[in-house]
Amino acid sequence: MRYMRLLSILLLIPCSALTASPEQRGLEIATEVDRRDTGWHDMQATMTMLLRNKQGEESLRYMRTQSLEVADDGDKTLIVFDRPRDVKGTALLSYSHKTGPDDQWLYLPALKRVKRIASKNKSGPFMGSEFAYEDIASQEVEKYTYKYLGDETLNGIDCFVMERYPAYEHSGYTRQVAWINKEEYRPEKVVFYDRKNSLLKTLTYEGYQQYLDKYWRADEMFMENHQTGKSTKLTWSDYNFRTGLEDRDFN
């Protein structure tokens, strides 16, 4: 009878989950995360960026952003700073790619010129924040290889835990460990390790809300740098999807 009970349980488990290697299982999870977040077409939102240094001093910036899905490639994203005055008009345009380095340009209004972000500089901080330029671009499945590490409960949420390794040779990270919500296939936490494989940063997501009855977006993204003691909190609001944006809105 014990054998029959065990057999009945095994029959309920997909064959792929029993036979897949940790690398295959990690890729399956990442692919499902991507599949569930495909089809929104375009999005607009507003953001605040709260910078905090090691001494606890804070500065606040106000931004707006828009993104466009691109068939068979990565997303296009434009971020424009509105306040305070010293950063007003600064803009970052990102063309993400599934393979190869992303194309990114930074417009500096004080100099009235556009600066291309070189491939080797994408690990640098974006506008003094704890988010790197490579963090800002869309996280396409093909940008990493994966390894499933196991299951874990995080803040009462059942999660898959997987490691991902950047395929981009100039990445600032050797690896990242991600906690993926089992039910909704959305990230709950990501831990980043630098080029020396030392703990660098932790990114946590808070206040998820669902849009168009399908797509999950976090109200807050908090990045803490364990090596410098600095942190950055992005607070999102006014999400709008399928607003009619086109390629010409990203040039």
Side-chain angles (χ1 to χ4, degrees), residues 79-82 86-92 106-109 126-127:
I79 300 174
V80 180
F81 287 78
D82 290 326
D86 61 340
V87 296
K88 182 178 180 179
T90 302
L92 176 70
L106 186 67
Y107 173 66
L108 302 169
F126 169 55
M127 293 294 290

Side-chain angles (χ1 to χ4, degrees), residues 46-60:
T46 58
M47 292 189 294
T48 61
M49 174 188 282
L50 179 64
L51 307 176
R52 181 181 291 114
N53 64 20
K54 188 175 181 179
Q55 290 72 38
E57 298 170 331
E58 297 180 346
S59 59
L60 187 62

Side-chain angles (χ1 to χ4, degrees), residues 156-176:
I157 300 171
D158 290 333
C159 294
F160 301 113
V161 184
M162 67 176 184
E163 212 161 40
R164 60 186 189 184
Y165 313 93
Y168 172 56
E169 65 175 322
H170 298 300
S171 174
Y173 314 118
T174 54
R175 60 190 175 102
Q176 303 170 15

Side-chain angles (χ1 to χ4, degrees), residues 130-142:
E130 299 314 303
F131 288 85
Y133 284 96
E134 63 181 300
D135 301 332
I136 299 298
S138 62
Q139 305 298 295
E140 306 299 324
V141 174
E142 293 82 357

Side-chain angles (χ1 to χ4, degrees), residues 68-87:
L68 178 72
E69 279 187 307
V70 178
D72 302 318
D73 204 356
D75 303 339
K76 293 182 178 181
T77 302
L78 177 64
I79 300 174
V80 180
F81 287 78
D82 290 326
R83 288 185 286 163
R85 182 178 298 178
D86 61 340
V87 296

Side-chain angles (χ1 to χ4, degrees), residues 203-208 217-222 233-236 239:
L203 172 63
T204 53
Y205 299 77
E206 298 288 345
Y208 269 108
R217 294 293 183 270
D219 287 342
E220 290 186 0
M221 299 169 64
F222 181 74
K233 182 169 71 173
L234 296 180
T235 302
W236 300 69
Y239 278 108

